[in-house]
Amino acid sequence: MYDLIIIGAGPAGLAAAEYAAKHGFKTALIEKEALGGVCLNSGCIPTKTLLHTTKLFSQFKKSSKFGINCAQGPEIDLSRLGQRVKEVNAQLRAGLDFLVKSNKIDFIFARARIIAPGQVSLADKILEAKYILVACGSKPIELPKIKFDGKKIVSSTEALDIQDIPKKLLIIGGGVIGCEFAEIFLSLGSGVEIVELTSNLLPGIDKEAARRIESVFKKKGLKLYLNTDASSLNFADYDKVLLCVGRAPYSDCFDGPDIKKERNRILVNEYLQTNIPHIYAAGDCIGGYLLAHAASYEGRLSVKNMLTGNTQKADYKAVPSCIFTNPEIACVGLSEEEARNKEREIIIKKFDFRALGMAYVFDETDGFIKIVADKEENILGAVIVGHKASELIHVLALAVNNGLKLSQVRDTIFAHPTVSEAIAETLLH
């Protein structure tokens, strides 16, 4: 008999298992594929490993600007690049394995089915627990008329295994995944086209930031079709078609309990509890942000609520979101558009990276910071386009989460010369 059984060993499941074990719960963690989930094995980590390499590749191409002569020019070794991705994954997976063992968490490699409240069926046995946490993640979405075949039409998972560089690549979907893969393949030398059904790239983020990245991509040679149905294009014109129009929650692990769902998304209350009191859910399977760090937060929070009897509500006001294009994009809190719809009067503070000393040192002057506040100067949100945006955004996430005012950030002394001093400069102008 366990205190807690967790289905899914991605960010939500792992965070929940560690927290539960450290607070005295006898815990079982069940995973049908690989420790680390999508994030480690076919999402965040391998994608960012590729993006780091392609960014280095792009920097080497302009090395003469920094006084470094590379007469022959850099070349990409796809075999070594693939090996690098596997090495990073293996090192991180070993760390997770140590975390599980050191916390005395029972890790079970199996497909799990919830057959009753408190009962989970495996192939050869039934486990019982006081609580169950469902954290079984998500999968790539297909379109009614466009299906994955693993060869010509691929998902983001297959796109990570780069055996050769496609001469011409079509990316269906201009969201985060589509834009990051566009960055990878543009850097590798592919002719890349993106087709997006809406009126701009990255639907849902600050429109000014989306327009900036559109401009950057076009300078790199990307061809963009907006307000366009992908089925109107001739796939025979492309070597590869990457279909990345979003992810659908996994929620098919129930063989008995009548769990409430909405379009496969498991419905939970503000405490991450399902309609069955002792079953909770966290991560991609409940929809929402579909971000690893949000999933980790939800995993820990669900266990806190099991321990305390539902005392802490989920709070998403300061979840940072990062897009690892070049330049990077990062945002937190309300966008300018959202703030204008919510507040009668807002304050907008902006600063362009072309006025930042360290941007010239790195030769990364394309970008800006925008900070949004209400009329009382409470910081509501921010967006950053530029070098190290994914690191800088956490200063403003801290500000949003703790209800800081513009003056409290502005009057903080930032070191010079740094990229982060751009945050203070935004508020001084």
Side-chain angles (χ1 to χ4, degrees):
M1 178 74 174
Y2 288 97
D3 295 301
L4 173 62
I5 293 173
I6 300 167
I7 301 174
L14 282 162
E18 182 182 18
Y19 190 88
K22 287 182 175 177
H23 286 79
F25 267 17
K26 184 181 180 184
T27 304
L29 179 63
I30 305 171
E31 171 57 55
K32 63 182 174 63
E33 293 182 356
L35 194 62
V38 169
C39 178
L40 174 58
N41 297 287
S42 58
C44 316
I45 299 301
T47 306
K48 276 54 181 183
T49 303
L50 292 176
L51 282 161
H52 179 67
T53 295
T54 55
K55 185 169 185 178
L56 284 175
F57 187 50
S58 298
Q59 288 176 323
F60 275 122
K61 285 181 178 179
K62 59 179 184 180
S63 61
S64 60
K65 193 168 188 176
F66 296 91
I68 303 170
N69 293 320
C70 297
Q72 300 302 317
E75 293 182 356
I76 285 283
D77 182 340
L78 292 180
S79 176
R80 182 67 189 96
L81 177 55
Q83 185 181 342
R84 169 68 178 160
V85 171
K86 291 176 182 176
E87 288 170 354
V88 171
N89 282 14
Q91 289 169 340
L92 291 171
R93 202 175 298 114
L96 293 179
D97 186 60
F98 176 78
L99 181 148
V100 168
K101 290 176 180 176
S102 64
N103 283 284
K104 296 182 171 57
I105 299 162
D106 289 349
F107 179 68
I108 303 167
F109 183 71
R111 184 178 293 274
R113 311 292 295 179
I114 300 172
I115 57 174
Q119 288 191 330
V120 175
S121 174
L122 308 182
D124 57 347
K125 57 186 173 182
I126 293 175
L127 303 180
E128 294 188 345
K130 181 177 181 180
Y131 293 102
I132 296 172
L133 173 65
V134 183
C136 47
S138 62
K139 60 183 177 180
I141 292 174
E142 292 180 310
L143 294 174
K145 296 180 181 178
I146 305 174
K147 306 291 185 181
F148 300 122
D149 61 22
K151 295 179 181 179
K152 177 70 176 271
I153 302 174
V154 298
S155 71
S156 56
T157 301
E158 289 97 15
L160 290 168
D161 185 19
I162 306 174
Q163 300 294 326
D164 50 56
I165 300 170
K167 185 175 180 181
K168 199 171 181 184
L169 171 69
L170 175 65
I171 298 176
I172 302 174
V176 175
I177 297 171
C179 285
E180 290 189 346
F181 273 102
E183 185 67 53
I184 290 169
F185 284 100
L186 282 168
S187 299
L188 292 175
S190 295
V192 180
E193 299 180 12
I194 293 180
V195 56
E196 168 57 45
L197 195 59
T198 67
S199 60
N200 57 269
L201 285 180
L202 300 168
I205 77 156
D206 181 272
K207 289 184 179 179
E208 187 176 4
R211 287 194 297 270
R212 180 65 66 95
I213 207 65
E214 285 177 17
S215 175
V216 169
F217 271 153
K218 287 176 181 177
K219 288 177 184 176
K220 294 178 181 179
L222 180 134
K223 189 172 181 180
L224 183 60
Y225 302 93
L226 297 175
N227 297 307
T228 304
D229 189 328
S231 61
S232 67
L233 301 178
N234 184 1
F235 292 177
D237 293 338
Y238 304 93
D239 300 297
K240 286 277 186 187
V241 177
L242 170 57
L243 176 60
C244 49
V245 292
R247 298 185 65 86
Y250 272 128
S251 58
D252 58 353
C253 58
F254 295 93
D255 271 348
D258 188 17
I259 289 287
K260 289 185 178 179
K261 302 179 188 178
E262 183 182 81
R263 296 182 180 178
N264 288 327
R265 178 173 67 92
I266 299 172
L267 295 178
V268 294
N269 62 19
E270 53 201 352
Y271 303 104
L272 302 175
Q273 183 183 44
T274 70
N275 60 297
I276 298 176
H278 283 217
I279 300 178
Y280 289 69
D284 286 7
C285 65
I286 66 171
Y289 282 89
L290 279 74
L291 296 169
H293 45 284
S296 296
Y297 163 76
E298 290 168 348
R300 286 188 293 270
L301 182 61
S302 62
V303 178
K304 287 180 185 178
N305 283 322
M306 294 173 199
L307 288 163
T308 62
N310 291 347
T311 59
Q312 189 171 336
K313 298 177 181 180
D315 182 357
Y316 299 105
K317 69 175 176 292
V319 179
S321 179
C322 304
I323 305 161
F324 292 82
T325 48
N326 188 18
E328 295 177 350
I329 306 169
C331 53
V332 70
L334 299 182
S335 68
E336 179 180 351
E337 294 82 16
E338 289 169 335
R340 289 193 187 282
N341 289 333
K342 187 176 180 180
E343 302 284 339
R344 290 185 178 181
E345 185 180 334
I346 63 171
I347 299 169
I348 299 292
K349 294 285 187 176
K350 285 181 62 177
F351 180 77
D352 198 286
F353 272 39
R354 287 174 293 183
L356 181 67
M358 283 303 280
Y360 286 89
V361 172
F362 291 119
D363 191 39
E364 301 279 1
T365 57
D366 202 341
F368 65 88
I369 295 180
K370 181 195 293 184
I371 298 174
V372 183
D374 63 21
K375 62 181 180 180
E376 283 81 31
E377 298 199 351
N378 299 300
I379 298 175
L380 303 175
V383 62
I384 305 174
V385 179
H387 186 57
K388 296 295 181 183
S390 61
E391 301 293 338
L392 300 181
I393 198 64
H394 296 98
V395 174
L396 293 161
L398 187 68
V400 172
N401 195 51
N402 290 280
L404 299 187
K405 292 184 177 291
L406 295 174
S407 60
Q408 290 174 289
V409 178
R410 182 187 64 228
D411 296 341
T412 300
I413 299 173
F414 286 72
H416 172 80
T418 61
V419 179
S420 59
E421 69 177 321
I423 295 171
E425 290 292 332
T426 304
L427 302 177
L428 289 170
H429 291 79

